Amino acid sequence: MATATEVLRPVTTREDKWRPSTKGWVARRAVLLLILGGIVFLTASVEGFWADRIARAAIFAVIGLSLNMVLGYIGQVSLGHQAFVGIAAFIAAYYATEKAGCEFEGCSMSTFITSTVFAALSGAIAAGVLGLVALRIRGLYLALITLAYGLVSQNSIFEISFLTRGGAGMPAVRPDGWVGDHAFAFLTLIFLAGVIFVDWSMMRSKVGRAILSVKHSEPVAASYGINVTGYKIIAFVLSGLFAGVAGSLLAFRNQNVVANDFSFVETLTWVLMVVVGGLGNRVGVIIGSAFFAMFGFILEPVLHWLGGLWGPLHFLEEAGAQAYVVIIVGAALAIFTIIEYPGGIGQQVSPITRWLGGQRFSMHPDGHGKHQTQASEASKTGVMGRLGLQRSGSTDEVTEASDETAPTSVMERATVMEQATASPPPPPAPAVHPDDEPVAHASGSADDPPGKPDPVPEVGGTDEGPASRKRGFLGKLGLQKNGAAQQEEKTR
Amino acid sequence: MDRKRLIGIVVVGCMLLITAACGQKPGVIKEATPAGAAGGLGGGEIPPGAEIDPETGELLDAEGNPVATSTGSGTSTGSGSGTSTGSGTSTGSGTGTSQAAPGEPSGGNSTGVGDDVIKIGIHAPLTGAAPVPSDSVEKGKDLYFRWLQSKGIKINGREVKVVLKNDNYNPSQAVSVCKEMVEKDKVFLLSGAAGTDQIQACARYAASVGVPYVSAGVTERGVTGLPNYFTTSATYADQGPLLADYMASRLGAKGEKNGLVFFDTPNFQDAAAAFKSGLRKQGVKLHYEKYVSKAADDDEAKNVIGELKAKGIKNVYVLTSPFWFIDLNKECTLQSYCPQWVGVGISMTFDSVASASCPGIDGAAFFSPFPAWSESKRYDADFDAAVRRFHPEEGGGDDFMWLSWIGTKVIGEALKYPGRNLTRERFVYFLERKRGLNVGVGPRLSYSPDNHFGARTVYVNDARCRGGKQPADNRWHTLVSPPTADF
Amino acid sequence: MRTGVVVGVIAGIVGLILILGWGDVEGPNGSIVIGLFQGAAYGLLAVGLVLVYKGTRVFNFAAGEFGTLAAFIAFLFIHQWKVVPYGLGILFALIAITLLGLFMERVIVRPLMHAPRVTLLVATIAFGLLLVGVELFAFRPEPKNLHPLIQGIDQATGQPVGPELAGYFVSPQEMVIVGVVLALAASLGWFFSKTDLGLAILATSQDAFATRVVGIGVARTSQLIWGMAAFLGALAGLLYVPAGGALAPGVITTQTLIPAFTAAVIGGMTSLPGAFVGGIVVGLLQQLALWASGHYYLGDQPWQQLIPGSADVAVFAALLVVLLARPQGLLGTEA
């Protein structure tokens, strides 16, 4: 019997929606199980310090998902995530050590759970406050203020010695039964699975679709009756919740929380790992985060090998070299990703994730050969397109063309422009993705192929769509003031 | 388009390599010790452990008091600290040195000990807020053991291999690299080179897994009573009363205004308390007390110097990161108000700190477990020979290699005591019954089962900047070395 | 006009505090003088940030590392290799960093010219971090000391060269900074309002396409902006590091960048005199916060000891208040 929802559900315009056969499903489930089983087996079989590193990777993945919520889903840059993670870590350690007396007596599982709940709540509250601020301050300015907030946390809040015990750090004793590195690694993996589940189920629910629509265009979302403010706050709070869980896990993993753990470089590295992972792409972010967490350890033997090859490279064998090389390679990787592969790791592994999700195995985003050109175009355009912007239609094509041919005279330029305006500009979103659903129905977009340009430029608050460009065109040629627009941009 | 970008990337790669190569030779600025530097304090034959006052020519002990007899006069003035247990043990008692004591463990855990090799692990801050140069530490970490090897000397038939890891001046990372060295590299014992918080964190981890931990003395908080932890120099708390004494007797602190500037970490609280009680005993007043956060920067340095100047503080005990101490010195130089700095510790008395802090640091007197590198030839000629043999490109080496040399020398000595049957239990058992461990340089060490803080003596090093006292080479020099007797 | 009023009001407040507290060695006067000169240094870095924002509408988070790397290069030539005199070392550093700025423009900014500004911001962060890594790698993390342009101490007498204000010796380096930042603000202001090239840059920032149509090369203006930004960042680092603390990798980014951005925002993000005024405000706020938190007690502990980092808290509070209450800043103009 068809209910109302069932009538509304098939929003896809594709008639030939392909479904794998039973055999196909079995194969997919088997591979998925094999991957999960591989992780579990790996964690169980490695030495203790490697299990400890796996725990770190899992915690980084939680942090990555938390940042992805803000950065990838609602398209705002938070450079102060170390504050949320750090505050939560200190609160968890403070509760366990000062209130529950874990330092000398050992810790019960219930104490651990309580600490984690407190940590998650504190992270949610702190991020909720940031969300309120983010309603007024956006884009570049939000990035700036979050960075300042992170620095204040690091230099002020985390140094309040009666709360954090200063440079010596606050101990956080692992709960009984989970003291060993293997056991604790499994505990973090369980938490990671929980966070992934929450993230996944939220993003495929009404809330998730609403959040994505807010990212794409606030006015459009509002016109569909979506409570823009409310959903933005929800995304921030959820991000803080994840950060809080990560903070608590990090505290118990390190068994000692110090301000140094939440440094400036750390938080920037977190942002870069999400970018490299692929904004808005869950699988990519997890892989990217785990990669950044593990990278230094993997690099160590490589550097040793390199250092042994040739005399002048000998310094690579020094114990300190690893720290520098990690920063250099991480940052270079991020720049490379931003410029060349805006979809990040998520885009590279998308054939596999799509296959596992029940589609055909193919190397291009939506499983249909005819979109291949558009997909590659998308990857070129959507430099961090996941952040929410695409280049606006025709004008940019002109700019790109003139980059190559470089018309020399004003006349030539004018001709180019004329041609550009003469040819009808493709309608923004539908033209690029004819198959795409209307914005409000952007179901399951969290797992959408990355690199797809988002339909409406909004996020940075500074880019102007084609329309506004045209509007201000003549005025700006005369360098007329457009103060109102700028002011608006800052306050929005 | 793409090719251009490729060229660009290649260009940046080349730039990186070039810049990297530029920085690879920090040794370029190092100069050989001027000839005759050793004689700079007055020359002549100096009795071992004693020192001649450069101004008066008197023979001095560690507290700067004139030495009446040749040795043994400095008995137990350090008992005022009150924080350490069993202070004041004397060298005379020969108990516990007999080899067949009852209860001597016969077996135990011999991880890291092979038929002909012993593996030990050292963690040091190679990056972070108070970094030491990794190439020097890397070269210095096993210099002593390579020297032994070249002489054909073995420790009970074994050679020693050293693993070095970077703790990033971060306690969490210190624990994680210590764990790695224990589990992956399977080291026999651990040692910390510098950094109070890191040493404390790693020592506590080592205690939890039963691995011996040997380091220079720092805080006593949280490490007192750890069964496997041994210090090879006096702790900050033990040095507090000495420093108060030194200020009173040598710097004329009684008639002047005195202050202390500390980083606000609980691990320095015992040092502050011991110092303050020491000052009270000496009848010296403290006029300025400042605890700044570990995250302090040059704004705060300006603020602190302004306050010191406004209040007219003359002597200041500073216990912070070397990095911030450099900030203080830059600022005090500009303000023409550099107090007489005094202090304790290891990383403060690095030559890199002196050269970056001159001229503000001129005349600063710091207690150190070791004599200054610039005078290494006077204390241990082997070091210079070893450096010239194994690292001829380094000239006379540097202070980090010197520090590693002494540290590993003590460890090498301690590894001898259990004999061929080397286990962690036996190592601890024999070391904690050792009286008068002496490798010829650094403090003389005496442990007991109740007291693993084995040293009571210090060297006093002072910084000489260009334009100041001779030899003015922007380095540390040793002003006072300890007497042979403990006190 | 507004500039005059704002400067007058700030000068009035400062003057009032100075007069009220005259002769009180423990009062805030010393801190105020320190703050004024510290603030000028923030203003110097802020000028470069404002320039980039005016020209490209992006925040350049790599600016601090232009400065640190410049100081390292100067250190390398002057103190480590000892191959060139001071002035030449500074010149080499300025040239090298300007080239680096052009390189950054070509490799990072140009491909992202049409990307969202936030993307470019993340890219500048990544580039800044890359430079921190390069500094660590090439110069090692140990702190160094770059000497000032003019020695603050008379070698013969050991006395400070500069004048003493409220117990604080103003070093020649700090006076140089004030002079340079004022000259820069004035000359860049003239450049943007009176010269064709300056107008072209402003035009590019507002509408790249339209500017191109009227025959202004976007690529060239972009090169010009980033080259100048790198030059100004390097200049700020070379002047500020000797007057500030020790030289270490990433030192300007961690210690000075946020106050400088706050200065630029307070000034209005587009105003060059505003950057200077904002810098002074931030410097004063920081030092007054430090003074107050060390001067007032809760029980027997000064506030500083209970809640450290009062200077950072003051900067954050100022940034938040300005962005929420007056986003166009004190002297914000349109371009």
Side-chain angles (χ1 to χ4, degrees), chain C residues 18 28-38 165-168 170 174 284:
Chain C
L18 280 177
N29 275 7
S31 299
I32 284 194
V33 177
I34 298 174
L36 282 174
F37 287 95
Q38 185 81 18
L165 292 175
Y168 179 78
V170 182
E174 287 170 309
L284 286 174

Side-chain angles (χ1 to χ4, degrees), chain A residues 15-37:
Chain A
E15 297 300 320
D16 56 338
K17 181 82 178 171
W18 186 82
R19 291 276 170 219
S21 63
T22 321
K23 226 194 230 167
W25 276 120
V26 170
R28 285 168 172 81
R29 290 292 133 88
V31 169
L32 203 63
L33 273 176
L34 213 64
I35 293 173
L36 293 178

Side-chain angles (χ1 to χ4, degrees), chain C residues 171-247:
Chain C
S171 71
Q173 188 80 11
E174 287 170 309
M175 291 190 282
V176 169
I177 289 177
V178 173
V180 167
V181 67
L182 284 176
L184 274 179
S187 59
L188 286 176
W190 172 81
F191 173 75
F192 278 118
S193 60
K194 295 287 186 289
T195 64
D196 289 348
L197 198 56
L199 288 173
I201 290 177
L202 292 184
T204 314
S205 77
Q206 289 183 354
D207 194 327
F209 174 64
T211 325
R212 185 189 289 275
V213 168
V214 295
I216 298 165
V218 175
R220 218 186 57 181
T221 52
S222 173
Q223 271 172 357
L224 189 73
I225 292 164
W226 286 92
M228 273 166 79
F231 177 84
L232 289 176
L235 191 65
L238 290 167
L239 292 176
Y240 172 70
V241 166
L247 172 61

Side-chain angles (χ1 to χ4, degrees), chain A residues 47-49 52-53 103 155 159 161 165 167-168 181 254 256 258 260-261 300 315 318-320 323-324 340, chain B residues 5 24 126-127 134-135 138 164-165 169-172 179-180 183-184 186 197 264-267 294-295:
Chain A
E47 284 171 284
F49 69 96
D52 208 34
R53 291 167 177 183
E103 190 176 4
N155 291 349
E159 296 286 344
S161 52
R165 299 202 185 169
D181 287 325
N254 289 348
N256 187 32
V258 283
N260 270 354
D261 291 337
E300 209 179 344
F315 63 91
E318 287 166 16
Y324 329 145
E340 293 292 336
Chain B
R5 189 170 296 158
Q24 280 317 305
L126 304 179
T127 54
S134 52
D135 52 343
E138 199 78 46
L164 175 73
K165 297 271 175 193
Y169 205 69
N170 178 339
S172 307
K179 184 182 269 183
E180 190 185 330
E183 293 180 4
K184 181 182 155 204
K186 306 255 187 281
D197 295 334
D264 193 10
T265 163
N267 285 345
K294 244 184 149 178

Side-chain angles (χ1 to χ4, degrees), chain A residues 183-205:
Chain A
F184 196 79
F186 280 118
L187 194 61
T188 57
L189 286 173
I190 293 167
F191 271 93
L192 173 62
V195 166
I196 293 173
F197 178 74
V198 172
D199 188 66
W200 174 74
S201 49
M202 193 208 74
M203 289 320 287
R204 66 198 290 271
S205 71

Side-chain angles (χ1 to χ4, degrees), chain B residues 272-347:
Chain B
F275 174 67
K276 284 196 273 185
S277 85
L279 280 188
R280 271 197 299 279
K281 274 214 172 62
Q282 300 287 339
V284 178
K285 276 206 186 99
L286 191 64
H287 299 81
Y288 181 77
E289 227 179 305
K290 186 86 169 182
Y291 298 90
V292 295
S293 84
K294 244 184 149 178
D297 61 9
D298 61 314
D299 305 336
E300 251 150 319
K302 285 191 160 105
N303 184 274
V304 166
I305 294 295
E307 286 180 9
L308 289 174
K309 189 178 176 186
K311 290 182 200 258
I313 309 292
K314 288 275 186 283
N315 307 300
V316 178
Y317 177 13
V318 54
L319 189 54
T320 64
S321 75
F323 191 100
W324 198 66
F325 184 49
I326 295 172
D327 281 4
L328 277 181
N329 274 302
K330 277 192 78 167
E331 192 48 37
C332 80
T333 308
L334 291 173
Q335 292 309 309
S336 180
Y337 191 86
C338 288
Q340 166 71 51
W341 302 114
V342 296
V344 299
I346 306 157
S347 44

Side-chain angles (χ1 to χ4, degrees), chain A residues 402-479:
Chain A
S402 53
D403 258 344
E404 306 296 336
T405 56
T408 42
S409 73
V410 178
M411 281 298 274
E412 245 178 285
R413 282 161 200 272
T415 331
V416 173
M417 191 202 75
E418 228 170 67
Q419 283 166 355
T421 39
S423 64
V432 181
H433 265 261
D435 286 349
D436 212 13
E437 304 139 7
V439 177
H441 297 273
S443 59
S445 301
D447 286 324
D448 266 0
K452 179 190 78 178
D454 297 306
V456 184
E458 185 52 41
V459 170
T462 48
D463 264 30
E464 294 158 275
S468 70
R469 279 180 191 225
K470 242 171 242 163
R471 171 165 40 78
F473 182 73
L474 280 177
K476 279 169 193 164
L477 264 187
L479 300 178

Side-chain angles (χ1 to χ4, degrees), chain B residues 347-357 372-374 398-400 474-477:
Chain B
S347 44
M348 293 290 230
T349 52
F350 285 156
D351 281 340
S352 62
V353 176
S355 65
S357 300
W373 165 80
S374 57
D398 59 31
D399 47 344
F400 307 98
N474 287 2
R475 290 188 187 283
W476 292 93
H477 291 263

